[in-house]
Coordinates of all heavy atoms in Angstrom, one line a residue:
Chain B
Q283 N 116.1 -73.7 -113.9 CA 114.7 -74.1 -113.5 C 114.6 -74.2 -112.0 O 113.6 -73.9 -111.5 CB 114.6 -75.6 -114.1 CG 114.0 -75.7 -115.5 CD 112.9 -76.7 -115.7 OE1 113.1 -77.7 -115.0 NE2 112.0 -76.4 -116.5
V284 N 115.7 -74.8 -111.4 CA 115.6 -74.9 -109.8 C 115.4 -73.5 -109.3 O 114.7 -73.4 -108.4 CB 117.0 -75.6 -109.4 CG1 117.1 -75.6 -107.9 CG2 117.0 -77.1 -109.8
L286 N 114.2 -70.8 -110.6 CA 112.8 -70.3 -110.9 C 111.8 -71.0 -110.0 O 110.9 -70.3 -109.5 CB 112.4 -70.5 -112.3 CG 113.2 -69.6 -113.3 CD1 112.9 -70.0 -114.7 CD2 112.7 -68.1 -113.1
L287 N 112.0 -72.3 -109.9 CA 111.0 -73.0 -108.9 C 111.1 -72.5 -107.6 O 110.0 -72.3 -106.9 CB 111.3 -74.5 -109.1 CG 110.4 -75.4 -108.3 CD1 108.9 -75.1 -108.5 CD2 110.7 -76.9 -108.6
R288 N 112.3 -72.3 -107.1 CA 112.5 -71.9 -105.8 C 111.9 -70.5 -105.6 O 111.1 -70.3 -104.6 CB 114.1 -71.8 -105.5 CG 114.3 -71.4 -104.1 CD 115.8 -71.4 -104.0 NE 116.2 -70.8 -102.6 CZ 116.3 -69.5 -102.5 NH1 116.0 -68.6 -103.4 NH2 116.6 -69.0 -101.3
Q289 N 112.1 -69.6 -106.5 CA 111.6 -68.2 -106.3 C 110.1 -68.2 -106.4 O 109.5 -67.6 -105.7 CB 112.1 -67.4 -107.6 CG 111.9 -65.9 -107.5 CD 112.4 -65.3 -106.2 OE1 113.6 -65.5 -105.8 NE2 111.5 -64.5 -105.5
S290 N 109.5 -69.2 -107.2 CA 108.0 -69.3 -107.2 C 107.5 -69.6 -106.0 O 106.4 -69.2 -105.5 CB 107.6 -70.2 -108.4 OG 107.8 -71.5 -108.0
L291 N 108.1 -70.5 -105.2 CA 107.7 -71.1 -103.9 C 107.6 -69.9 -103.0 O 106.6 -69.7 -102.2 CB 108.6 -72.1 -103.4 CG 108.5 -73.5 -104.1 CD1 109.6 -74.4 -103.5 CD2 107.2 -74.1 -104.0
F292 N 108.6 -69.0 -103.1 CA 108.6 -67.8 -102.1 C 107.5 -66.8 -102.7 O 106.7 -66.3 -101.9 CB 109.9 -67.0 -102.2 CG 110.9 -67.7 -101.4 CD1 112.0 -68.4 -102.0 CD2 110.9 -67.5 -100.0 CE1 112.9 -69.1 -101.1 CE2 112.0 -68.1 -99.3 CZ 112.9 -68.9 -99.8
Q294 N 104.7 -67.2 -104.3 CA 103.4 -67.7 -104.1 C 103.1 -67.9 -102.6 O 102.0 -68.4 -102.3 CB 103.1 -68.9 -104.9 CG 103.2 -68.8 -106.3 CD 103.2 -70.1 -107.1 OE1 102.6 -71.0 -106.7 NE2 103.9 -70.1 -108.3
G295 N 104.1 -67.6 -101.8 CA 103.8 -67.6 -100.3 C 103.9 -69.0 -99.7 O 103.3 -69.2 -98.6
F296 N 104.4 -70.0 -100.4 CA 104.4 -71.3 -99.9 C 105.5 -71.4 -98.7 O 105.2 -72.1 -97.7 CB 104.7 -72.5 -100.9 CG 103.5 -72.7 -101.8 CD1 103.5 -72.1 -103.1 CD2 102.5 -73.4 -101.3 CE1 102.4 -72.4 -103.9 CE2 101.3 -73.6 -102.1 CZ 101.3 -73.1 -103.4
I297 N 106.5 -70.7 -99.0 CA 107.6 -70.8 -98.0 C 108.0 -69.3 -97.6 O 107.7 -68.4 -98.3 CB 108.8 -71.5 -98.4 CG1 109.3 -71.1 -99.8 CG2 108.5 -73.0 -98.5 CD1 110.6 -71.9 -100.3
F301 N 112.9 -70.5 -94.4 CA 113.3 -71.4 -95.3 C 114.8 -71.1 -95.7 O 115.6 -71.9 -95.9 CB 112.5 -71.7 -96.5 CG 112.8 -72.8 -97.4 CD1 112.1 -74.1 -97.2 CD2 113.6 -72.6 -98.5 CE1 112.6 -75.1 -98.0 CE2 113.9 -73.8 -99.3 CZ 113.3 -75.0 -99.1
V320 N 113.1 -81.0 -94.0 CA 111.8 -81.1 -94.5 C 111.2 -82.5 -94.4 O 110.0 -82.8 -94.1 CB 111.7 -80.6 -96.0 CG1 110.4 -80.9 -96.6 CG2 112.0 -79.1 -96.0
Y324 N 107.9 -83.8 -92.4 CA 106.7 -84.4 -92.9 C 106.5 -85.9 -92.2 O 105.3 -86.3 -92.0 CB 106.8 -84.6 -94.5 CG 106.2 -83.4 -95.1 CD1 107.2 -82.4 -95.6 CD2 104.9 -83.2 -95.2 CE1 106.5 -81.3 -96.3 CE2 104.4 -82.1 -95.8 CZ 105.1 -81.1 -96.3 OH 104.6 -79.9 -96.9
K366 N 102.0 -70.9 -95.6 CA 100.7 -71.2 -95.8 C 100.1 -72.1 -94.7 O 99.1 -71.9 -94.0 CB 100.2 -71.7 -97.1 CG 100.4 -70.5 -98.1 CD 99.8 -70.8 -99.5 CE 100.1 -69.9 -100.6 NZ 99.4 -70.0 -101.7
K395 N 95.3 -79.4 -97.0 CA 95.5 -79.1 -98.6 C 96.9 -78.4 -98.7 O 97.6 -78.8 -99.6 CB 94.4 -78.1 -99.1 CG 93.2 -78.9 -99.6 CD 92.3 -78.0 -100.5 CE 91.0 -78.2 -100.2 NZ 90.1 -77.1 -100.5
E396 N 97.0 -77.4 -97.9 CA 98.3 -76.6 -98.1 C 99.5 -77.5 -97.8 O 100.5 -77.5 -98.4 CB 98.3 -75.4 -97.1 CG 97.3 -74.4 -97.4 CD 97.4 -73.7 -98.6 OE1 98.4 -73.8 -99.3 OE2 96.5 -72.9 -99.1
Y397 N 99.3 -78.3 -96.7 CA 100.3 -79.2 -96.3 C 100.8 -80.2 -97.4 O 102.0 -80.4 -97.7 CB 99.8 -80.0 -95.0 CG 100.7 -81.0 -94.4 CD1 101.7 -80.7 -93.5 CD2 100.5 -82.4 -94.7 CE1 102.3 -81.7 -92.9 CE2 101.2 -83.4 -94.1 CZ 102.2 -83.1 -93.2 OH 102.9 -84.0 -92.5
I398 N 99.8 -80.8 -98.0 CA 100.1 -81.7 -99.2 C 100.6 -81.1 -100.3 O 101.5 -81.5 -101.0 CB 98.8 -82.5 -99.5 CG1 98.4 -83.5 -98.3 CG2 99.0 -83.3 -100.7 CD1 97.1 -84.0 -98.3
T399 N 100.1 -79.8 -100.7 CA 100.6 -79.1 -101.8 C 101.9 -78.8 -101.7 O 102.8 -79.0 -102.5 CB 99.7 -77.8 -102.0 OG1 98.3 -78.1 -102.1 CG2 100.2 -77.0 -103.2
L400 N 102.4 -78.3 -100.5 CA 103.7 -77.9 -100.2 C 104.6 -79.1 -100.3 O 105.7 -79.1 -100.8 CB 103.9 -77.3 -98.8 CG 105.3 -76.9 -98.4 CD1 105.8 -75.8 -99.2 CD2 105.3 -76.4 -96.9
K401 N 104.2 -80.3 -99.8 CA 104.9 -81.5 -99.8 C 105.3 -81.8 -101.3 O 106.4 -82.0 -101.6 CB 104.2 -82.7 -99.2 CG 105.0 -83.9 -99.1 CD 104.3 -85.0 -98.3 CE 105.2 -86.2 -98.1 NZ 104.5 -87.3 -97.7
K402 N 104.3 -81.8 -102.1 CA 104.6 -82.1 -103.5 C 105.5 -81.1 -104.2 O 106.5 -81.6 -105.0 CB 103.2 -82.0 -104.3 CG 102.3 -83.2 -104.0 CD 101.2 -83.4 -105.0 CE 100.3 -84.5 -104.5 NZ 98.9 -84.1 -104.5
K403 N 105.3 -79.9 -103.9 CA 106.2 -78.8 -104.6 C 107.5 -79.0 -104.1 O 108.6 -78.9 -104.8 CB 105.6 -77.5 -104.1 CG 104.4 -77.0 -105.0 CD 104.0 -75.7 -104.8 CE 102.7 -75.4 -105.7 NZ 103.0 -75.2 -107.0
L404 N 107.8 -79.2 -102.8 CA 109.2 -79.4 -102.2 C 109.7 -80.6 -102.7 O 111.0 -80.7 -103.1 CB 109.1 -79.4 -100.8 CG 108.9 -78.0 -100.1 CD1 108.8 -78.1 -98.6 CD2 110.0 -77.0 -100.5
E405 N 109.0 -81.7 -102.9 CA 109.6 -82.9 -103.4 C 110.1 -82.7 -104.9 O 111.2 -83.1 -105.3 CB 108.5 -84.0 -103.5 CG 108.5 -84.8 -102.2 CD 107.2 -85.7 -102.1 OE1 106.4 -85.9 -103.1 OE2 107.1 -86.4 -101.1
T406 N 109.4 -82.0 -105.7 CA 109.7 -81.7 -107.0 C 111.1 -80.9 -107.0 O 112.0 -81.1 -107.7 CB 108.6 -80.9 -107.8 OG1 107.5 -81.7 -107.7 CG2 109.1 -80.6 -109.2
Y407 N 110.9 -79.8 -106.1 CA 112.2 -79.0 -105.9 C 113.4 -79.7 -105.6 O 114.5 -79.5 -106.2 CB 111.8 -77.8 -105.0 CG 112.9 -77.0 -104.5 CD1 113.5 -76.1 -105.5 CD2 113.5 -77.1 -103.3 CE1 114.7 -75.4 -105.1 CE2 114.6 -76.4 -102.9 CZ 115.3 -75.5 -103.9 OH 116.3 -74.7 -103.6
F408 N 113.3 -80.5 -104.6 CA 114.4 -81.4 -104.2 C 115.0 -82.3 -105.2 O 116.2 -82.4 -105.3 CB 114.2 -82.1 -102.8 CG 114.0 -81.1 -101.6 CD1 113.0 -81.3 -100.8 CD2 114.9 -80.1 -101.3 CE1 112.8 -80.5 -99.7 CE2 114.7 -79.3 -100.2 CZ 113.8 -79.4 -99.4
Q409 N 114.1 -82.9 -105.9 CA 114.5 -83.8 -106.9 C 115.4 -83.0 -108.0 O 116.4 -83.5 -108.4 CB 113.2 -84.3 -107.7 CG 113.0 -85.8 -107.3 CD 111.5 -86.2 -107.8 OE1 111.1 -85.7 -108.9 NE2 110.8 -87.1 -107.1
L410 N 114.8 -81.9 -108.3 CA 115.5 -81.1 -109.3 C 116.8 -80.7 -108.9 O 117.9 -80.7 -109.5 CB 114.6 -79.9 -109.8 CG 114.7 -79.4 -111.1 CD1 114.5 -80.6 -112.2 CD2 113.5 -78.4 -111.4
A411 N 116.7 -80.1 -107.6 CA 118.0 -79.6 -107.0 C 119.1 -80.6 -106.9 O 120.3 -80.2 -106.9 CB 117.6 -79.0 -105.6

Side-chain angles (χ1 to χ4, degrees):
Chain B
Q283 275 223 325
V284 172
L286 284 172
L287 178 52
R288 182 181 171 278
Q289 189 57 48
S290 76
L291 290 174
F292 281 102
Q294 291 168 36
F296 286 105
I297 54 178
F301 193 84
V320 170
Y324 274 100
K366 291 191 186 195
K395 264 197 227 160
E396 297 294 351
Y397 178 81
I398 292 166
T399 303
L400 178 64
K401 185 175 188 196
K402 292 197 182 127
K403 287 188 181 286
L404 286 176
E405 271 168 1
T406 305
Y407 170 68
F408 289 132
Q409 252 169 35
L410 213 51

